[in-house]
Amino acid sequence: MTASPVAPDKTTQSPPPPRDEAYERKLLSRGRRGRFDVKVSPYLYISPFFLLFLVTGLFPLIYTAWIATRQWNTSTGDAGWAICGKLCDSTDPSWLGNFQWVLHQPDFWLALRNSFSIFLLSTIPQIICALILAAILDANLKAKTFWRMGVLLPYVIAPSAAGIIFSQVFSDNFGVINTILDGIGLEPVQWHASQLASHVAIATIVNFRWTGYNTLILLAAMQAIPRDVFEAAVVDGAGRVRQFLSVTIPMLRPTLIFVIITSTIGGLQIFDEPQMFGNTGTPGGPDKHYLTVSLYLWDLGFNRTTIGQPNLGRAAAVAWLLFIIVVVIAILNFLITRRIASTSGAPTKKKKSAKKELAR
Amino acid sequence: MGSIRTRRGLAATAGIAAIALTLTACGGSGDNAADGGNGSDDQVVIKVSTFNNFGFGAPTAQKPGADLWKKYEALHPNVKIEETVAAKSDDARAAFNTAIATGSGAFDIQAVDVDWMPSIMAQPDKFVDLTDYVKDNDWLDWKTQGATTDDGKLVGAGTDIGPEGICFRSDLLAAAGLPSDRDALKEALGGADATWDKYFELGAQYVQKSGGKAWFDSSAAVFQGMVNQIEESHVSKDGEIIAGTDAKGAQQVKADFDQLTAAALAGQSAGLAQWSDDFNAAFNTDKFATTLCPAWFINNIKGNAGEDFKGWDIADVFPGGGGNWGGSYLVVPEQSKVKEEAAKLAAWLSAPEQQVAVFSAASNYPSSPTAQADPAVAGKVDAFLNDAPVGEIFKNRAAAVTVTPFKGAQYFDIQTKLADALNRVDVTKTQTPAQSWDQWLQDVAGLQ
């Protein structure tokens, strides 16, 4: 559509002499087609992703929001607008009913707290470890590829497989760790009975799988840092540690932001590990010590299918609350990370602007 | 110029290929109809979902079985059977609920635990009426009733039942100087008049004489035996939740809870969460001496302890009268593409001859009186259980069942929360019985 007003311009520019109308029309249509091609085909090429996203991402998101406002039972389906019920002493149908119900549940808040605790216990040590490992792998090692592949190996293991193996390692009575602790005369740790111990155990499973993955991403970013920056630092008399803190980390800023945000999303959605860790009874254990938000959502939606209860509507409300929380935390994280990295990275910023000026 | 054109051509091909891929990926789910087929000449694939061990498949070291799939396929050359086995009934239940709710993805035959039958009986329209297919089968009356709607539709074909005895470690009891022979233990527990009081009394003696070893495996497991003897435990027959009220059944639940937690805190419980890794691993140790034993549970003991393990035995006795724990049905969802073939297979699997074959190979006790009377069942002796006459024992145990517990729609959720309450006292040891009971009442309120 936009092509037509431009087209006459172009024809006026072309030399007039040969008044072959058919030829002109041919030229015109070829030009049009060419312009159409240039304008539209890039969007066609990238459309598979967006179509896929529409089907698998956006639609479920919106449909979940719809379900969250309804009294929806897994087996019997929709039964009108949501009702909060006994907990908030109201039987008025309202689209907020399921959200009110969820926010009145002590289990939801417990699950949220557990998710945060496990998320912090896994993400922080994991990113620090990944940074250090990446720095080591970045150095001049023999058999580089071997070490780099080795770091990624745990990531190849399916999360549920890692969960099953670790749940046996962390068994209270017959687990390897407690057997060793017992053997050297220490008190065995009650991995499932103590809140902190269960969080540490689950964070260990997460760290086992994801540290290597983050290491490789950080390593790739480190290798992209121009070597002359390090040479300059060496000339200035900076040692290895100083180079790492003042050059490597600031230069990694965008990658660090990416790693931290993906870890945040993954960490708050944690499901497989606590599910496999407490491989019996109610999800999260009898004390709900390791009940996470995703586990709570799943239990609500797919295990408590009692006829007459709007379990799927409530689960959808949890899903949306989790979605909002993840988005908020991700934005906060982004702001904080940018802050931290930019205060220590002041010189690089100068360098960048200097480069820009040079380019001009 | 030419090179640019080729590159563009390549890119276009790639784009088209990507779109084509997505399209085929989306269309993939429609294939079921094609390979299912309705004509009798076509190859028919019947997908079956079971859990734990139904004993239908080929036998393995961990899971004994009667190899029925092969037999049926030989009888019906156009049928191919694919069985998917979940580890626990809860795992199968979650997937099943989703499939029924969304109206797609259900198996052609689904094995269903009695505890989740109420949710199926609440929506009988979604399941095939099996009445016309099961003419040659017979079941105990209460087994048939459990799967029949008010207007007479039969939605489930009964497989096994779970009459309970007491399994015990004769070596451990002997070492503690207690009666270790199955008849002597039966007498010690009171024979036909066995009570829970006597069970826990003997347990206290065992703890004392064995130097502090546990008497039973898990409070939640023992409670399953107790609650199945209460007619209306958590939900009354008119659909009210009676947990924590002074209704007769609710008071019995409270009394059982108190008695059981007191025994557990006195050291009678091994403090293992049922079905956990620790629980499974404990069957070849001397952690505990007795466990409640529905017929199908012998498969688990064998699998966990190892076929060669010596010491396990079974006594023909059960405290508080008989008890039935578990036992399953086969249902055929209406959404199945091959529901007629599936219904035929379900009927065949639950027929007396096949029930006999399953009990002979594995330990799931028949729900059919004809099968129970079959010499292969009545005369079965189990070498693993020190040559116990299991056929005769389970026949007696089934006859001793007098109460058919009513399990309303909310029963499953409330019972799960009660198992949590027991585990807080017995396994994680984080609460006193009184605290845990109060929290259970709160949890039940939160379910409404």
Side-chain angles (χ1 to χ4, degrees):
Chain A
M1 273 179 279
T2 44
S4 52
V6 191
D9 276 5
K10 200 137 200 209
T11 40
T12 49
Q13 270 177 14
S14 63
R19 296 193 176 234
D20 182 349
E21 287 209 349
Y23 177 73
E24 263 177 28
R25 220 177 292 133
K26 205 175 164 193
L27 259 187
L28 196 69
S29 80
R30 186 183 282 172
R32 263 194 201 140
R33 215 192 295 148
R35 217 159 287 123
F36 182 79
D37 188 25
V38 167
K39 288 222 158 131
V40 178
S41 43
Y43 295 103
L44 267 179
Y45 295 149
I46 58 164
S47 66
F49 168 78
F50 286 95
L51 288 176
L52 213 62
F53 171 72
L54 207 71
V55 173
T56 62
L58 206 59
F59 173 71
L61 200 69
I62 293 165
Y63 194 50
T64 307
W66 167 246
I67 292 176
T69 63
R70 311 290 294 178
Q71 280 193 65
W72 201 300
N73 179 274
T74 310
S75 309
T76 52
D78 196 355
W81 290 107
I83 290 173
C84 180
K86 236 181 194 175
L87 280 166
C88 21
D89 275 327
S90 99
T91 47
D92 305 328
S94 101
W95 64 275
L96 271 175
N98 287 328
F99 291 93
Q100 285 170 336
W101 186 87
V102 170
L103 294 176
H104 275 85
Q105 288 285 313
D107 283 6
F108 172 73
W109 296 104
L110 249 175
L112 195 60
R113 195 196 61 191
N114 292 342
S115 288
F116 268 98
S117 163
I118 294 171
F119 153 63
L120 291 175
L121 278 173
S122 55
T123 310
I124 297 174
Q126 183 183 316
I127 290 180
I128 294 174
C129 273
L131 257 179
I132 295 170
L133 273 176
I136 294 171
L137 288 175
D138 194 29
N140 249 335
L141 290 175
K142 270 185 189 158
K144 264 183 203 161
T145 320
F146 172 77
W147 298 113
R148 287 173 189 174
M149 290 300 293
V151 160
L152 197 63
L153 264 185
Y155 182 68
V156 180
I157 298 173
S160 40
I164 289 171
I165 294 164
F166 274 91
S167 85
Q168 290 181 353
V169 169
F170 285 114
S171 277
D172 293 333
N173 291 314
F174 301 104
V176 176
I177 296 184
N178 276 353
T179 310
I180 293 172
L181 286 178
D182 209 30
I184 56 175
L186 290 171
E187 197 65 24
V189 179
Q190 293 305 304
W191 294 109
H192 290 75
S194 146
Q195 187 161 311
L196 184 66
S198 68
H199 291 189
V200 170
I202 292 167
T204 309
I205 310 176
V206 180
N207 290 339
F208 169 76
R209 278 197 76 234
W210 286 92
T211 309
Y213 172 81
N214 286 330
T215 304
L216 278 203
I217 290 183
L218 291 173
L219 175 64
M222 275 184 198
Q223 303 216 310
I225 300 173
R227 296 287 129 169
D228 50 355
V229 184
F230 287 105
E231 278 162 26
V234 171
V235 171
D236 288 348
R240 275 238 165 245
V241 177
R242 186 64 209 249
Q243 282 176 39
F244 180 69
L245 291 176
S246 302
V247 180
T248 313
I249 290 189
M251 297 286 265
L252 283 182
R253 197 177 72 179
T255 316
L256 266 178
I257 292 174
F258 169 79
V259 165
I260 289 173
I261 285 178
T262 47
S263 306
T264 309
I265 296 170
L268 289 177
Q269 291 181 338
I270 184 164
F271 177 81
D272 311 54
E273 288 86 355
Q275 155 75 354
M276 288 298 165
F277 175 71
N279 62 354
T280 171
T282 337
D287 302 280
K288 295 151 196 156
H289 276 343
Y290 40 95
L291 178 73
T292 61
V293 180
S294 311
L295 262 185
Y296 179 61
L297 186 165
W298 172 71
D299 187 34
L300 207 55
F302 301 101
N303 286 341
R304 297 204 214 146
T305 46
T306 308
I307 305 287
Q309 276 191 25
N311 64 327
L312 209 58
R314 290 166 179 174
V318 174
W320 258 86
L321 288 170
L322 179 62
F323 174 69
I324 293 167
I325 291 166
V326 168
V327 169
V328 168
I329 299 291
I331 291 172
L332 273 179
N333 251 341
F334 175 72
L335 294 176
I336 294 171
T337 326
R338 212 169 58 162
R339 249 292 183 50
I340 291 171
S342 65
T343 43
S344 59
T348 37
K349 220 175 190 177
K350 254 182 218 160
K351 222 170 255 167
K352 247 187 203 162
S353 53
K355 249 189 201 163
K356 258 184 203 161
E357 246 146 61
L358 260 177
R360 271 176 211 159
Chain B
M1 194 62 188
S3 77
I4 288 174
R5 192 169 284 163
T6 17
R7 218 181 284 156
R8 191 181 282 176
L10 258 179
T13 327
I16 290 162
I19 292 169
L21 269 177
T22 23
L23 288 178
T24 42
C26 292
S29 59
D31 288 352
N32 273 354
D35 60 38
N38 290 321
S40 54
D41 296 337
D42 296 6
Q43 183 79 2
V44 177
V45 178
I46 303 176
K47 291 180 179 160
V48 185
S49 160
T50 64
F51 49 85
N52 202 337
N53 182 19
F54 272 70
F56 295 153
T60 65
Q62 256 87 44
K63 295 195 167 182
D67 213 357
L68 293 180
W69 304 138
K70 217 184 198 175
K71 210 168 160 189
Y72 192 80
E73 284 171 355
L75 289 170
H76 303 80
N78 63 326
V79 170
K80 198 175 156 357
I81 300 166
E82 288 171 8
E83 185 189 19
T84 305
V85 184
K88 294 173 292 187
S89 65
D90 288 3
D91 298 343
R93 183 176 186 255
F96 170 73
N97 283 332
T98 316
I100 294 301
T102 55
S104 73
F107 287 90
D108 301 313
I109 295 181
Q110 175 75 45
V112 171
D113 189 299
V114 275
D115 278 9
W116 33 300
M117 272 311 272
S119 67
I120 285 172
M121 300 304 287
Q123 40 182 344
D125 296 348
K126 291 184 175 161
F127 300 93
V128 173
D129 186 353
L130 298 173
T131 316
D132 296 337
Y133 298 94
V134 296
K135 297 235 160 74
D136 300 335
N137 299 7
D138 65 333
W139 289 293
L140 297 171
D141 288 343
W142 57 266
K143 188 75 181 176
T144 317
Q145 271 162 28
T148 310
T149 61
D150 292 340
D151 53 356
K153 181 178 177 183
L154 183 76
V155 292
T159 55
D160 61 324
I161 54 174
E164 294 175 277
I166 299 280
C167 284
F168 64 98
R169 285 280 298 277
S170 53
D171 51 339
L172 294 181
L173 292 188
L178 290 178
S180 60
D181 150 73
R182 68 179 78 94
D183 291 326
L185 182 66
K186 178 180 175 180
E187 286 316 307
L189 286 170
D193 304 316
T195 60
W196 290 105
D197 289 342
K198 280 187 188 140
Y199 178 72
F200 291 122
E201 250 169 53
L202 202 62
Q205 284 180 35
Y206 176 76
V207 174
Q208 196 197 358
K209 290 183 178 170
S210 67
K213 282 183 188 147
W215 174 240
F216 57 83
D217 46 349
S218 154
S219 294
V222 173
F223 189 77
Q224 283 283 0
M226 296 173 120
V227 79
N228 282 326
Q229 293 173 335
I230 305 174
E231 200 167 357
E232 295 168 279
S233 48
H234 307 313
V235 185
S236 73
K237 282 183 178 163
D238 45 13
E240 291 288 313
I241 292 179
I242 54 169
T245 65
D246 359 307
K248 194 172 150 229
Q251 281 185 338
Q252 188 60 46
V253 169
K254 172 73 170 136
D256 289 346
F257 180 87
D258 290 341
Q259 186 178 27
L260 183 54
T261 48
L265 291 178
Q268 289 197 34
S269 170
L272 299 162
Q274 217 183 348
W275 316 123
S276 66
D277 294 331
D278 279 340
F279 174 82
N280 292 336
F283 281 84
N284 58 12
T285 68
D286 53 4
K287 271 244 165 195
F288 55 88
T290 65
T291 178
L292 308 191
C293 226
W296 49 267
F297 191 61
I298 291 171
N299 291 332
N300 294 56
I301 300 179
K302 257 184 218 171
N304 288 332
E307 191 84 41
D308 304 332
F309 190 86
K310 287 278 163 247
W312 281 105
D313 201 336
I314 181 167
D316 183 5
V317 64
F318 198 71
N324 181 73
W325 172 5
S328 302
Y329 292 93
L330 301 174
V331 300
V332 179
E334 277 288 348
Q335 56 173 276
S336 163
K337 296 283 194 307
V338 291
K339 59 188 181 191
E340 201 159 308
E341 289 292 337
K344 279 183 203 157
L345 173 58
W348 183 82
L349 283 173
S350 55
E353 304 81 58
Q354 277 63 249
Q355 294 203 357
V356 171
V358 167
F359 184 67
S360 304
S363 298
N364 306 324
Y365 193 68
S367 59
S368 146
T370 312
Q372 289 176 7
D374 192 286
V377 172
K380 186 187 172 186
V381 169
D382 196 327
F384 174 77
L385 296 172
N386 191 22
D387 292 327
V390 283
E392 190 194 320
I393 290 176
F394 284 122
K395 184 166 192 265
N396 296 338
R397 291 296 92 220
V401 178
T402 50
V403 177
T404 311
F406 171 78
K407 295 181 178 178
Q410 298 99 332
Y411 173 86
F412 186 85
D413 286 343
I414 300 176
Q415 175 63 15
T416 309
K417 295 285 175 198
L418 189 61
D420 284 346
L422 287 164
N423 286 340
R424 284 194 294 270
V425 176
D426 183 31
V427 181
T428 62
K429 299 180 176 66
T430 40
Q431 287 184 351
T432 65
Q435 286 170 339
S436 195
W437 179 263
D438 286 343
Q439 197 187 319
W440 178 62
L441 292 180
Q442 277 176 31
D443 286 346
V444 172
L447 288 172
Q448 294 168 50

